[in-house]
Amino acid sequence: MVNVDKLEFGIETFGDIVSAEDGHLLTAGQSIRQIVKEGALADKLGIDVIGVGEHHRPDYSVSSPEIVLGAIASVTEHIKLATAVTVLSSDDPVRVYERFATLEGLSEGRAQVMLGRGSFTESFPLFGYDLINYDDLFDEKLAMFGQLLKEKPITWHGGFTQSLKDQDVYPKTDYDGLETYIGIGGSPESIIRAAKGGYKVILAIIGGQADRFKPYLDLYKKAAAQYDMPAYPVAVHSHGFIADDEDEAIDVAWKNIKANFDRIGLTRGWAPMSREQFDGETQSGSFYVGNPEHVAQRIARTVKLLDRGRFDLVYGAGNQTAAQRERMIELYATKVIPRVKEILSQEAVSNG
């Protein structure tokens, strides 16, 4: 049963370029400053987590999320600061650890790192890595990162990483270590890897009904028990858009989410999103789109079904305006989250 008191709610942005009211696109710098403003708003409204993605392409503004999170840290007090995700496979585990340990100190313990293999692969050739080693790179670098999290001198010999002999890494953290998640798209191998390493998990559900992910949660718990590791409450993130009016929410989401997915699909061989597909995702799939009551009912169902510990809503997909993004955050914080908690609490009472 879901523990409503411990349930967390977050927002995530992949750094989509923001649209001005007249339709022209803002610059990357303007879009980044808008994210900092949104982080401050989310903190003021009591949202638990903000996650910022890493991409290396023209349709996204953020390639260094830690810098953006550092800026958000300077204008916030309570909200946790996460990535969504950090592409560990094309990065240096030592530098990743050092950057987030720095953010952890700067934010007084609010830093989270979400590690992933990268569903976008632009960073691999950019930093000199061959995609033929896609899985091996992540396996080795995650193993090294796990050693770094112990904050003790490390001796390491790797095929894709540097060799270290009794080497200390700085800075050390002040707040019980660095909170680390593994971002997973839904492969059994990824779930088992995360459980074996003792990591927290966040599932990226970007298509289809949430029901199909329940077997992965069972696998995570079984694998954690097999390897004598803790099984943490699993988080989930999905796309969405909220507006005061249901029709407005659907119109804005259809325009922007479709454009976003179709643009990505050009490089992945996806067919353009149909209206039938979009409607299916908003009614019973992975797009949480609508007015606050509609979105709250759907999130509550997903949280209950999958026994979630945290739900993150990916906002700003496509080229939404600053006003649309900010209003969505306000509705999520002031209408949706309280209503989800109310629904789950009422169901817990009725079930005795």
Side-chain angles (χ1 to χ4, degrees):
M1 182 179 295
V2 176
N3 187 331
V4 177
D5 293 331
K6 293 184 178 180
L7 186 61
E8 290 187 314
F9 291 88
I11 55 172
E12 294 180 13
T13 175
F14 294 161
D16 302 74
I17 300 295
V18 180
S19 175
E21 294 294 339
D22 65 3
H24 82 269
L25 297 183
L26 302 185
T27 66
Q30 290 171 317
S31 299
I32 290 169
R33 293 191 290 276
Q34 176 62 30
I35 293 171
V36 176
K37 182 180 179 182
E38 290 160 357
L41 175 63
D43 182 61
K44 179 182 177 181
L45 295 173
I47 293 174
D48 297 304
V49 187
I50 182 169
V52 179
E54 172 196 343
H55 295 90
H56 304 267
R57 44 189 292 149
D59 42 349
Y60 295 105
S61 63
V62 181
S63 59
S64 300
E66 304 92 333
I67 295 178
V68 180
L69 293 170
I72 296 174
S74 70
V75 294
T76 59
E77 296 181 0
H78 305 291
I79 196 166
K80 294 180 181 179
L81 309 164
T83 48
V85 300
T86 292
V87 185
L88 183 64
S89 304
S90 58
D91 213 326
D92 176 355
V94 174
R95 289 192 176 276
V96 171
Y97 174 81
E98 289 181 336
R99 296 197 300 264
F100 279 91
T102 301
L103 178 64
E104 188 265 1
L106 176 68
S107 65
E108 298 184 323
R110 292 185 283 138
Q112 291 182 353
V113 57
M114 186 197 304
L115 303 174
R117 291 183 296 178
S119 60
F120 289 82
T121 58
E122 292 83 3
S123 62
F124 286 79
L126 185 62
F127 299 119
Y129 294 100
D130 193 328
L131 283 170
I132 197 172
N133 301 314
Y134 183 77
D135 291 321
D136 292 337
L137 279 164
F138 187 71
D139 287 344
E140 179 177 320
K141 293 188 177 188
L142 182 61
M144 186 182 192
F145 194 83
Q147 293 299 309
L148 293 164
L149 286 174
K150 298 176 181 179
E151 300 194 349
K152 296 179 180 179
I154 176 175
T155 296
W156 182 263
H157 302 284
F160 299 104
T161 56
Q162 64 273 48
S163 294
L164 302 174
K165 183 176 181 180
D166 200 28
Q167 178 70 55
D168 239 331
V169 178
Y170 302 98
K172 306 297 184 183
T173 59
D174 294 338
Y175 300 88
D176 298 322
L178 180 60
E179 188 173 9
T180 305
Y181 280 83
I182 306 297
I184 292 174
S187 73
E189 295 80 9
S190 296
I191 288 283
I192 294 170
R193 182 196 295 114
K196 184 176 181 180
Y199 291 105
K200 297 180 179 181
V201 167
I202 185 162
L203 286 171
I205 303 180
I206 60 172
Q209 297 185 1
D211 308 55
R212 68 188 181 92
F213 283 85
K214 199 169 188 313
Y216 295 106
L217 306 182
D218 297 335
L219 179 60
Y220 174 66
K221 292 177 182 178
K222 290 179 182 179
Q226 178 182 343
Y227 292 108
D228 195 24
M229 289 292 182
Y232 298 101
V234 176
V236 64
H237 80 203
S238 293
H239 287 79
F241 182 73
I242 310 163
D244 295 275
D245 179 76
E246 182 83 4
D247 290 338
E248 177 191 354
I250 292 172
D251 288 345
V252 172
W254 165 245
K255 173 186 174 182
N256 288 283
I257 292 179
K258 173 181 169 54
N260 177 264
F261 274 63
D262 286 355
R263 184 169 58 245
I264 295 169
L266 289 174
T267 62
R268 302 192 182 182
W270 299 346
M273 181 182 291
S274 68
R275 185 57 191 253
E276 181 181 11
Q277 178 186 358
F278 173 82
D279 289 342
E281 292 291 352
T282 57
Q283 291 165 13
S284 60
S286 63
F287 296 166
Y288 295 80
V289 173
N291 63 32
E293 179 63 21
H294 178 87
V295 173
Q297 291 286 347
R298 294 211 53 238
I299 291 177
R301 180 187 181 278
T302 296
V303 170
K304 180 183 177 182
L305 174 71
L306 299 181
D307 194 18
R308 304 294 80 219
R310 170 175 148 194
F311 184 93
D312 285 5
L313 191 63
V314 181
Y315 76 98
N319 304 121
Q320 298 171 25
T321 67
Q324 290 168 338
R325 291 161 59 117
E326 290 175 23
R327 183 57 179 161
M328 198 222 80
I329 292 170
E330 291 172 354
L331 292 172
Y332 182 61
T334 63
K335 302 289 186 181
V336 174
I337 293 174
R339 180 64 176 135
V340 172
K341 291 180 178 180
E342 179 183 40
I343 293 168
L344 293 173
S345 296
Q346 289 173 346
E347 290 182 354
V349 170
S350 65
N351 292 332

